[in-house]
Amino acid sequence: MLSLVVPMAIGYGLISVIASGHARLTMGERIAFSYPLGAAAITLEMALWPLLKIPYSFVGLVLPWIILGGVAVIVPKIRQHLKAPVTFQRWEPLSAVIAVWLVWKVFWLLAEIALRPINAWDAVAYWSLMGKIFFYESTWSPALASLTRGASQPLFNPLIQTWTALSLGAWNENWVQLPFAILFISLVAATGVKMERRGSSRSGWIAAGLMMGLPFAAMHAIVAYSDLPLAVFHGMAYLLLLIYLNEKDKRILVLSAIFIILSIWAKRHGIIYTGVWGVCVFLIDLKGEKIRSIPVGLWTMAGAGALFLAGLFWTRIGVIADWGWHMDRLSEIVPVLTARLFTYGHWNVLWALALWAPWLPFLLFALVTKTWLLCANWWTAAWMST
């Protein structure tokens, strides 16, 4: 429980301070976005901890945040930012039914984690293996990471598993998978509260239900792969970008930027999507005529393009070096990839909704799926790059 509560508290505090002011996020929105941000903050702290030559311990990692939290509570100017507006909307029968179904799905996610230890190939080969090594060595180092095949990847995945084990007091092959389920639930909640802000309580519950109903996403919530954290940080960055379009407050845009940068901390492929995010922000500013000079726009596009190209080189250098082998396999890969994207049940009703929504904007589900489709679209793109 502490492995969840501490990151949520850290994330809530960071969001409250960053997004303070007249365009405050609601209590529900802050809670929904809090765990991923707090988990990233904890793992970044763990990545820097070896510089102090201090071994990992739960108390040692939490103590600095307790001190910062105490300061935040004592200082009135900071304490006032922790308060958030709470919105209540009348429940409808449909919302209640979806809520019961969501609780049932969460129960089965947790039950599957409790009953099935780590067994996915990449997790066994390096993600969880690195986390276990870091836990028993009470630190991390490039030398320790090089003992596995994942040495070239960012450390969010193994360190969040190490953090979970530290909070439990022992390495548990089942429960170190818990953070990935909570990340998925956080994205479901964030999608719901975003749609509630946009439409109604019913819209929010339906959007959350649709997101929870993605079989492929639910599967990744229990396999300890880095694709899910990448998708969560990426999806939340765009949800915050949509909130920024409504609020026109640059602090919300800063939060969005933080989340998109954290996608790189989850998996190196995130640098590609950070470049795409930069292009989107440029186009939004261009449409709103906020860019006062052409050089600013050109620099924005150049920076985003550089990130995109750097990401392609970083993530695909092996493909470039062995291009002929991959070209020979394209005839095998493309049909399988196409079938799994469009004809398998991985994405549930995603493609049907994608076809319906643009043509029937007056129907309720078109409004409901606007945010969900955007999030799921980027999620799909994230996995297609791996």
Side-chain angles (χ1 to χ4, degrees):
M1 183 62 71
L2 287 175
S3 67
L4 307 180
V5 173
V6 172
M8 286 188 69
I10 293 171
Y12 182 90
L14 292 173
I15 290 171
S16 298
V17 172
I18 296 170
S20 61
H22 70 278
R24 292 177 178 177
L25 296 171
T26 65
M27 178 73 75
E29 289 167 338
R30 295 188 193 194
I31 293 173
F33 288 100
S34 63
Y35 178 79
L37 183 59
I42 285 285
T43 54
L44 286 168
E45 178 192 7
M46 294 176 71
L48 298 174
W49 208 247
L51 297 177
L52 302 176
K53 307 297 183 182
I54 301 175
Y56 288 152
S57 69
F58 179 79
V59 174
L61 290 169
V62 173
L63 187 59
W65 297 105
I66 294 176
I67 295 173
L68 289 174
V71 172
V73 171
I74 293 172
V75 178
K77 287 186 177 181
I78 301 178
R79 186 174 65 244
Q80 68 181 1
H81 295 323
L82 300 178
K83 300 177 182 179
V86 181
T87 59
F88 294 98
Q89 298 195 30
R90 185 175 62 86
W91 274 52
E92 301 176 1
L94 178 61
S95 301
V97 170
I98 295 175
V100 171
W101 181 77
L102 287 171
V103 171
W104 178 253
K105 290 286 288 184
V106 169
F107 168 78
W108 276 108
L109 280 177
L110 298 179
E112 201 158 358
I113 290 172
L115 295 172
R116 187 174 69 179
I118 298 165
N119 63 356
W121 171 254
D122 286 356
V124 173
Y126 45 98
W127 295 124
S128 296
L129 180 58
M130 272 199 291
K132 183 183 286 189
I133 293 171
F134 298 161
F135 172 74
Y136 283 110
E137 293 293 331
S138 296
T139 189
W140 88 273
S141 69
L144 291 174
S146 66
L147 297 175
T148 73
R149 292 176 54 242
S152 63
Q153 288 284 0
L155 296 174
F156 174 82
N157 185 329
L159 286 178
I160 197 62
Q161 294 187 58
T162 302
W163 158 256
T164 305
L166 287 169
S167 68
L168 293 173
W171 181 269
N172 186 295
E173 295 286 339
N174 295 70
W175 291 110
V176 293
Q177 302 171 100
L178 182 61
F180 303 92
I182 304 304
L183 285 170
F184 176 51
I185 293 168
S186 297
L187 182 58
V188 170
T191 305
V193 294
K194 170 61 186 76
M195 284 309 302
E196 184 175 352
R197 170 191 281 259
R198 174 76 178 181
S200 64
S201 176
R202 180 194 297 175
S203 301
W205 284 106
I206 294 176
L210 289 170
M211 178 65 78
M212 181 65 84
L214 286 174
F216 197 57
M219 181 272 288
H220 270 265
I222 54 174
V223 296
Y225 279 16
S226 288
D227 305 275
L228 178 69
L230 168 64
V232 170
F233 288 125
H234 196 247
M236 286 189 166
Y238 278 88
L239 290 172
L240 286 164
L241 192 57
L242 290 173
I243 295 175
Y244 163 70
L245 290 177
N246 295 332
E247 297 291 343
K248 306 301 183 185
D249 191 305
K250 289 295 178 67
R251 285 163 291 197
I252 305 296
L253 184 61
V254 169
L255 262 182
S256 177
I258 290 172
F259 272 90
I260 198 65
I261 291 171
L262 288 176
S263 70
I264 305 173
W265 179 231
K267 198 171 184 180
R268 60 186 183 182
H269 300 75
I271 195 170
I272 299 176
Y273 304 110
T274 302
V276 175
W277 180 90
V279 173
C280 290
V281 173
F282 166 73
L283 294 175
I284 289 170
D285 280 351
L286 185 64
K287 183 179 179 181
E289 298 180 353
K290 297 175 184 176
I291 295 178
R292 303 301 180 187
S293 62
I294 293 178
V296 173
L298 291 177
W299 278 112
T300 304
M301 289 292 287
L307 280 172
F308 185 81
L309 293 175
L312 282 178
F313 180 78
W314 187 21
T315 61
R316 287 292 176 256
I317 187 169
V319 174
I320 295 170
D322 199 12
W323 185 252
W325 179 79
H326 285 275
M327 289 298 290
D328 292 341
R329 297 193 63 198
L330 279 180
S331 60
E332 303 173 24
I333 295 172
V334 171
V336 173
L337 179 63
T338 303
R340 289 184 177 273
L341 278 177
F342 297 105
T343 61
Y344 279 52
H346 291 171
W347 300 106
N348 205 342
V349 294
L350 170 63
W351 298 114
L353 289 170
L355 293 172
W356 276 93
W359 301 103
L360 297 172
F362 52 90
L363 291 182
L364 174 64
F365 71 81
L367 173 63
V368 168
T369 58
K370 182 177 180 181
T371 299
W372 179 76
L373 284 173
L374 183 145
C375 189
N377 176 57
W378 285 108
W379 197 328
T380 307
W383 276 323
M384 285 178 66
S385 74
T386 59

